[in-house]
Amino acid sequence: MNDLVARGQYHFTSKDLRDALGVSNVATRQALSRLAAKGEVASPARGFYVFVPPEYRRIGCLPADQFIPALMAERGTPYYVGLLSAAQYHGAAHHRPQEFQVVLAGNRPPIVCGSVRVTFVARKRMADVAVDRLNNEHGTILVSSVEATALDLVGYMHRSGGVDRVAGMLAELSEDLDPQKLCDASESASILWSQRLGYLLDFVGAGDKAALLKDHVQRNAKNYTKLLPYVNGSVVQRSKDWRLYANATIEVEA
């Protein structure tokens, strides 16, 4: 096992350990139990283990960003880091999420490993979402582009802390938004997401980044939609530009 760590490999399967030790399945399970009891290994998923260096023993696991790429590769599952976790990568630093959010093509139960929690969001047309490959402590990780992150935050507002928090993050992210890339990103989602995103960008003073998106909405949005689709609050404002009923008062989180 020390050889694996020396090579920078902090994750392994039970088969990897059995082959490395040259022992039986029973002996492998016993070895894993001893290591887990000492806090030296943890298991974020069935049959998948991570070494836990001393600096992470207090949380009982590796941080999620250090094992998710390996776990997804081992399971052959396309993924990207999204929503609040992606926003943090792109500079919305003070909105620190309580869980690590990963987007997949389908549903998957959350992972709890020590005090580390990973939740999964199922997204249609996930393969069409633009991602950035970013460096981390043990390799690289796929994170939605800043434009795709902005779109997903609005599309999954209920998973992103609500409209006030999303508006605050959009204000932080807006400086890095590219208008053309934002318009391109909108092609991977419902036009309703673009209507809500454009309205919120206008609201936080970043309407210049949404000019091309506005053209896209005005060409393709056939109906008005609500800012908060599942809320029956009274309409505060009607936006002709975005064909949207603002049915909530927004207080941007700073």
Side-chain angles (χ1 to χ4, degrees):
M1 290 183 293
N2 290 335
D3 290 342
L4 292 175
V5 175
R7 295 200 302 268
Q9 184 175 333
Y10 280 79
H11 53 84
F12 61 96
T13 64
S14 52
K15 181 180 183 301
D16 292 333
L17 183 60
R18 185 178 69 245
D19 293 346
L21 297 177
V23 297
S24 67
N25 288 337
V26 172
T28 300
R29 287 195 295 270
Q30 291 173 341
L32 286 169
S33 294
R34 288 193 299 270
L35 291 168
K38 293 190 290 184
E40 295 180 6
V41 301
S43 179
R46 185 178 179 85
F48 182 88
Y49 299 86
V50 295
F51 296 110
V52 184
E55 61 267 30
Y56 295 125
R57 299 274 165 84
R58 62 182 178 80
I59 63 173
C61 194
L62 278 182
D65 66 314
Q66 295 184 30
F67 70 77
I68 281 295
L71 176 60
M72 296 297 105
E74 195 270 332
R75 300 293 157 91
T77 303
Y79 80 97
Y80 64 83
V81 178
L83 305 184
L84 300 175
S85 298
Q88 186 177 15
Y89 274 97
H90 291 301
H94 71 272
H95 293 282
R96 188 172 184 83
Q98 299 300 308
E99 57 191 28
F100 196 75
Q101 294 176 306
V102 176
V103 179
L104 306 177
N107 293 313
R108 180 189 173 103
I111 287 174
V112 178
C113 180
S115 60
V116 174
R117 179 176 171 84
V118 182
T119 57
F120 297 93
V121 177
R123 192 194 196 283
K124 294 179 180 178
R125 298 187 61 186
M126 184 209 136
D128 296 331
V129 175
V131 298
D132 297 330
R133 185 178 293 275
L134 304 179
N135 294 324
N136 68 11
E137 190 170 334
H138 296 307
T140 60
I141 191 166
L142 299 179
V143 179
S144 55
S145 70
V146 64
E147 293 82 15
T149 299
L151 192 67
D152 280 358
L153 287 170
V154 171
Y156 297 97
M157 215 176 305
H158 61 296
R159 300 287 297 270
S160 304
V163 66
D164 294 344
R165 190 175 190 187
V166 168
M169 286 186 288
L170 291 177
E172 290 187 76
L173 298 174
S174 62
E175 184 177 344
D176 295 323
L177 292 175
D178 178 279
Q180 183 60 60
K181 290 180 180 179
L182 187 64
C183 193
D184 293 343
S186 71
E187 299 288 349
S188 71
S190 164
I191 190 66
L192 305 181
W193 292 18
S194 295
Q195 290 170 258
R196 295 172 187 134
L197 174 58
Y199 176 83
L200 288 174
L201 287 173
D202 267 352
F203 186 87
V204 300
D208 58 315
K209 298 301 182 84
L212 295 178
L213 189 66
K214 184 182 295 184
D215 292 340
H216 171 69
V217 165
Q218 292 182 349
R219 286 195 310 269
N220 295 285
K222 297 179 180 179
N223 300 301
Y224 275 71
T225 189
K226 293 179 180 179
L227 177 61
L228 303 182
Y230 305 113
V231 173
N232 293 321
S234 59
V235 175
V236 177
Q237 182 181 6
R238 177 178 180 271
S239 171
K240 184 178 180 181
D241 284 344
W242 297 105
R243 296 178 185 169
L244 180 136
Y245 297 118
N247 58 333
T249 300
I250 304 170
E251 296 182 7
V252 178
E253 286 192 8

